[in-house]
Amino acid sequence: MRLIKFGFLVVALALVFAVAPNSAQRRSNNETKINALLAQMTLAEKLGQLQQLDGEGNGNFRPEHRELVRKGLLGSTLNVRGAKRTNELQRIAVEESRLKIPLLFGFDVIHGYRTIFPIPLAEASSWDPTLAEKSTSLAAQETYASGVRWTFAPMLDIARDPRWGRITEGAGEDPYLGAAFARARVLGFQGNDYSTPGKILACAKHWVAYGAAEGGRDYNTTDMSEQTLREIYFPPFKAAIDAGAGTVMSAFNDLNGVPTSANPFTLTKVLRGEWKFDGFVVSDYTSVKELINHGVAANDKEAAQAALNAGVDMEMVSRLFNEQGPGLLREGKVSLATIDEAVRRILRIKFRLGLFEHPYTREASETEILMTRTNRAAAREVAGRSMVLLKNDHDALPLRPGVGSIAVIGPLADDRRTPLGWWAGDGKPEDTITPLAGIKAKVSPQTKVGYAKGCETLGDSTAGFAEAVALARASDVAIIFVGENSETVGEAASKSSLDLSGRQMDLVKAVHATGKPTIVVLMNGRPLTIGWIVDNSPAILEAWMGGTEAGNAIADVLFGDVNPGGKLPVTFPRAVGQVPIYYNHMNTGRPPDANSRYTSKYLDVPWTPQFPFGFGLSYTQFKITNLQLSSQRIRPDGKLTVTVEVENVGRRAGDEVVQLYIRDVAASMTRPVKELKGFQRITLRPSEKRRIEFTLGPESLGFYNREMRFVVEPGEFKVMVGSSSEDVVESKFFVE
Ligand code: BGC
């Protein structure tokens, strides 16, 4: 009997595999269907697929969308969400429009849909890409349940300038770390097949170099060498494309004189030509129309022409492709082949997404899937692992659970909005656990927890200082929560000062003056200049904007249930005047020398950062020793193994992020003083020792030479392994 059943199973499986198309067949079937559709489409319907329009602020579509969809003049929306609403508009597309092409609903799910995870900069501080894969995968499930199938994420802009508010949305300053997080986030959102229920389409943005805006001023011009583009700004995008990202967003910025939403070099030569990307490119919000302001188009028609011919497929919000397409075609300024190709790319992704088979969303799934206990637990875990301990003199932290009384102070101690950060999806402040709530839930019943706000993050009032000071005096320990509010980070939130805003610094000083041990918890979306706090406060925890579960996660770390193991993904300057300051800089002809005036430094501030890239402490200590290389000489195409021993020499279990850097000492072009080429976050028990192994190959040792060829050049290389970019053990080898 068993054998017969088994036989049936084998036959059934064989049939399924024989009948179910494999992915190559599916792709070629799709292309056939696309050809059939293209053959039937009118020009207006084609241009309709290239149009994306915004909904109303509340997640609803606009009344005029119904008619546009019915006529086949709208292919996609942004910000329209909720299963009921998306189904309603989708029904018009699929049942009432002539060709029944489904709509694609997009939304900015940057760090969570309803359950909000830490801001991406924080998540990158975990140096654990598997966490990012987990959070994006849970965010994808919530997004899918809400009828949205496309996120405008991950944001992959390298940012070396904390004045730029959007540094909060990315993975920081380093291309290698950025690429690792790019890969993880694309896989989390999309999986290996984004037609799977619960998976959504990713969008690698903003292509490209948007993070290099001059002066850190949002939307500003960028101008850089092709080497810098290829070595610093491209790698996270390349990793996203290799991981299968289905779409890319062209950016707002001008790049070397050609705005990125009309740039054939980046959109066509690199993306499609070199990287073989076959998905579609959506413009950023009205960036096609803005080509006129940039001064590369005299009018709407020239703007549409420039963007279409450069390789933008879908236009977000402005409507120039639609309005100008027919005229451009008549005049031969844009070819029908170009328009057809844009339509083809968009339809290809709609097919791959399974929209034709499953255009609707099951309305009951929203209540089942959004903000579950599992998702909250994951948000708490990710937030805890994202925090960075910046200072901890005399083991001021962790706090003893039995501490008698705690003063919880500061404008962010009980703020429900700030932890959600910028682009908080559909996150709701009423769901947020604030630090005050997290601490109250953690302490034993004997502990007294008092709260005083002290001041706001902005403004000049010190009216609350007296209450805060009195509370600190009456308590055993003060924990003060300062930073930025969520409106002063993100898009269009550039700043010329990185100091704590409003009267927050004075509040820290006033509480410190009581003589009570004062722990500073930072909640912010960018590096801040906090020299006074570094010099005076015994302990500093960088908690970032930690999402829905921020308060619980902060309490976990403050009381030692979670031992902090995060590391900075971006350099903290001492003064805003040092910006841009980043670890992988060139050496210059006159590297800084304290004893020589005519070297590269400042008169009024040290040249070194406040906290270097890769820095972060733990409640335990680690020793990294015994750096060994598998050989001293390799060929340019050879590989090398690097090993070190890591030992937990403290008294608690904890995490170390072991980081590997290289330096190409002399080459045909100047090379950075350090480049991250490997990292591993590991957990060790007290006294536990582990060997960690890294491999270096041509992809880690090469660079783009003057002819823009990727080469590994002979000569000496340094290898540095350590616990931050500045705390390393060193060795060397030669490429022959
Ligand atoms: C931002 C994009 C975002 C888009 C849609 C733009 O202002 O630059 O990152 O995806 O709006 O919300």
Side-chain angles (χ1 to χ4, degrees):
M1 191 59 189
R2 270 220 190 124
L3 259 180
I4 296 176
K5 268 194 187 158
F6 181 71
F8 269 129
L9 190 70
V10 171
V11 174
L13 278 177
L15 270 175
V16 167
F17 282 114
V19 175
N22 63 31
S23 80
Q25 275 165 337
R26 243 186 351 209
R27 287 186 176 203
S28 104
N29 289 349
N30 287 347
E31 297 299 314
T32 315
K33 291 179 194 158
I34 293 168
N35 286 337
L37 275 171
L38 272 170
Q40 294 175 62
M41 290 171 93
T42 62
L43 178 60
E45 284 166 337
K46 288 178 181 174
L47 295 172
Q49 285 304 308
L50 312 191
Q51 182 69 58
Q52 180 181 66
L53 291 177
D54 200 351
E56 286 176 341
N58 56 9
N60 217 338
F61 52 83
R62 293 173 194 270
E64 65 266 26
H65 291 171
R66 288 177 206 274
E67 205 41 32
L68 289 172
V69 173
R70 196 170 283 122
K71 291 187 175 144
L73 304 180
L74 183 60
S76 174
T77 64
L78 73 154
N79 293 327
V80 176
R81 57 196 188 276
K84 198 161 171 294
R85 291 159 173 165
T86 52
N87 281 346
E88 189 183 339
L89 200 58
Q90 190 69 295
R91 194 156 287 122
I92 301 179
V94 173
E95 294 175 22
E96 299 176 27
S97 78
R98 194 174 75 91
L99 295 172
K100 312 196 176 337
I101 300 174
L103 281 165
L104 176 54
F105 297 100
F107 186 48
D108 291 278
V109 179
I110 307 298
H111 53 114
Y113 181 84
R114 176 70 190 273
T115 310
I116 303 303
F117 290 87
I119 52 167
L121 187 65
E123 221 176 50
S125 308
S126 72
W127 290 58
D128 181 355
T130 63
L131 281 187
E133 188 171 341
K134 181 168 173 178
S135 72
T136 44
S137 141
L138 295 171
Q141 290 173 9
E142 292 194 351
T143 308
Y144 187 98
S146 305
V148 172
R149 295 291 151 84
W150 181 24
T151 175
F152 305 121
M155 190 279 211
L156 304 177
D157 296 306
I158 296 293
R160 294 169 154 184
D161 190 335
R163 294 173 296 182
W164 191 53
R166 301 196 79 170
I167 195 169
T168 183
E169 291 175 55
E173 74 186 32
D174 183 67
Y176 185 88
L177 186 66
F181 274 85
R183 197 174 304 118
R185 288 186 171 132
V186 169
L187 286 176
F189 285 129
Q190 294 193 161
N192 293 321
D193 173 1
Y194 44 80
S195 71
T196 311
K199 287 294 170 194
I200 59 172
L201 178 64
C203 181
K205 77 180 186 188
H206 307 80
W207 180 242
V208 58
Y210 178 41
E214 280 177 5
R217 188 156 55 82
D218 208 0
Y219 316 120
N220 204 8
T221 304
T222 56
D223 198 304
M224 67 179 66
S225 70
E226 192 173 333
Q227 266 90 4
T228 303
L229 260 182
R230 287 189 183 271
E231 291 181 13
I232 306 294
Y233 291 86
F234 282 3
F237 287 90
K238 179 66 164 60
I241 302 303
D242 289 346
T247 69
V248 168
M249 186 184 291
S250 68
F252 287 127
N253 55 297
D254 174 5
L255 175 63
N256 301 337
V258 186
T260 45
S261 284
N263 194 313
F265 168 68
T266 54
L267 293 169
T268 296
K269 181 167 185 294
V270 175
L271 200 55
R272 269 87 178 221
E274 296 178 22
W275 297 356
K276 310 294 173 219
F277 171 68
D278 74 348
F280 73 83
V281 172
V282 61
S283 77
D284 203 347
Y285 212 99
T286 62
S287 67
V288 174
K289 177 99 176 161
E290 289 163 26
L291 295 173
I292 300 173
N293 287 341
H294 277 294
V296 292
N299 49 40
D300 287 2
K301 188 182 261 180
E302 288 185 14
Q305 177 185 345
L308 273 169
N309 284 339
V312 174
D313 303 303
M314 182 182 280
E315 183 179 2
M316 188 188 286
V317 176
S318 54
R319 310 189 59 175
L320 310 191
F321 289 4
N322 264 260
E323 291 161 5
Q324 305 298 329
L328 287 168
L329 199 60
R330 259 196 319 275
E331 292 164 28
K333 293 193 165 137
V334 171
S335 70
L336 187 59
T338 300
I339 292 175
D340 281 356
E341 186 55 27
V343 177
R344 174 183 298 281
R345 291 171 182 148
I346 291 166
L347 293 179
R348 182 181 290 150
I349 295 301
K350 288 187 173 182
F351 274 108
R352 265 185 213 164
L353 197 49
L355 274 183
F356 285 84
E357 290 102 323
H358 308 289
Y360 301 117
T361 305
R362 197 169 60 83
E363 287 174 22
S365 61
E366 259 170 333
T367 42
E368 293 160 18
I369 287 179
L370 266 55
M371 186 66 92
T372 56
R373 280 178 45 194
T374 322
N375 292 7
R376 271 189 173 272
R380 181 173 184 166
E381 183 205 353
V382 177
R385 287 176 70 81
S386 297
M387 289 178 208
V388 187
L389 184 64
L390 295 176
K391 185 177 176 190
N392 195 22
D393 278 2
H394 313 298
D395 292 337
L397 286 174
L399 298 168
R400 286 167 297 114
V403 56
S405 53
I406 305 176
V408 175
I409 294 173
L412 301 175
D414 200 28
D415 176 346
R416 290 165 176 270
R417 181 66 192 80
T418 293
L420 304 184
W422 181 253
W423 295 123
D426 241 0
K428 309 242 180 296
E430 57 267 31
D431 296 328
T432 305
I433 308 293
T434 67
L436 179 63
I439 290 168
K440 281 187 172 161
K442 177 73 73 180
V443 294
S444 61
Q446 296 78 30
T447 303
K448 266 184 28 205
V449 178
Y451 163 63
K453 189 172 193 179
C455 65
E456 304 292 336
T457 49
L458 301 171
D460 245 350
S461 171
T462 55
F465 276 29
E467 187 199 0
V469 166
L471 177 66
R473 281 217 178 92
S475 308
D476 295 332
V477 55
I479 314 176
I480 177 156
F481 294 84
V482 288
E484 307 180 272
N485 74 54
S486 52
E487 293 304 307
T488 55
V489 298
E491 188 173 347
S494 297
K495 295 182 77 178
S496 69
S497 164
L498 300 173
D499 292 344
L500 282 171
S501 53
R503 302 302 293 268
Q504 295 184 94
M505 196 60 230
D506 294 328
L507 179 66
V508 174
K509 288 179 180 169
V511 173
H512 178 86
T514 62
K516 287 295 160 97
T518 303
I519 284 142
V520 177
V521 178
L522 296 171
M523 296 172 76
N524 47 314
R526 54 153 68 85
L528 296 174
T529 43
I530 46 163
W532 190 92
I533 297 176
V534 177
D535 292 342
N536 293 282
S537 303
I540 309 170
L541 178 67
E542 176 54 85
W544 302 113
M545 296 179 173
T548 308
E549 285 285 325
N552 280 331
I554 287 171
D556 288 342
V557 171
L558 290 176
F559 289 91
D561 294 330
V562 169
N563 187 350
K567 304 274 182 171
L568 296 177
V570 60
T571 304
F572 271 45
R574 295 172 190 273
V576 70
Q578 292 179 302
V579 169
I581 178 170
Y582 47 89
Y583 86 95
N584 50 354
H585 57 83
M586 301 302 177
N587 200 36
T588 81
R590 295 187 178 192
D593 175 352
N595 300 317
S596 166
R597 172 163 184 151
Y598 294 98
T599 59
S600 181
K601 53 194 177 34
Y602 297 101
L603 287 177
D604 55 347
V605 67
W607 70 83
T608 53
Q610 183 76 66
F611 294 113
F613 175 80
F615 175 80
L617 303 170
S618 161
Y619 296 154
T620 187
Q621 293 82 40
F622 297 93
K623 251 172 62 190
I624 299 180
T625 53
N626 203 7
L627 171 61
Q628 286 184 1
L629 310 185
S630 59
S631 84
Q632 245 55 61
R633 301 191 166 267
I634 60 166
R635 290 158 38 101
D637 57 355
K639 276 188 170 22
L640 183 81
T641 307
V642 180
T643 55
V644 285
E645 266 171 26
V646 189
E647 186 181 359
N648 182 345
V649 293
R651 288 197 301 270
R652 287 170 174 265
D655 287 9
E656 178 61 292
V657 180
V658 188
Q659 304 160 38
L660 175 139
Y661 300 88
I662 63 148
R663 176 171 180 183
D664 186 343
V665 179
S668 62
M669 296 197 58
T670 56
R671 301 303 304 149
V673 295
K674 271 178 198 131
E675 295 177 79
L676 182 72
K677 294 296 175 184
F679 63 88
Q680 285 181 46
R681 179 167 176 161
I682 56 167
T683 305
L684 294 179
R685 294 184 309 274
S687 306
E688 192 182 349
K689 196 188 233 186
R690 196 175 305 162
R691 275 201 92 68
I692 301 292
E693 189 177 303
F694 298 97
T695 306
L696 289 174
E699 66 295 341
S700 336
L701 304 177
F703 66 91
Y704 286 91
N705 71 7
R706 294 181 214 182
E707 286 76 47
M708 221 44 72
R709 272 189 307 116
F710 190 80
V711 290
V712 178
E713 288 186 353
E716 180 185 339
F717 282 77
K718 280 189 183 163
V719 184
M720 296 154 273
V721 183
S723 62
S724 86
S725 61
E726 285 193 359
D727 181 13
V728 292
V729 288
E730 225 181 274
S731 184
K732 66 180 174 193
F733 68 94
F734 293 85
V735 170
E736 316 201 291

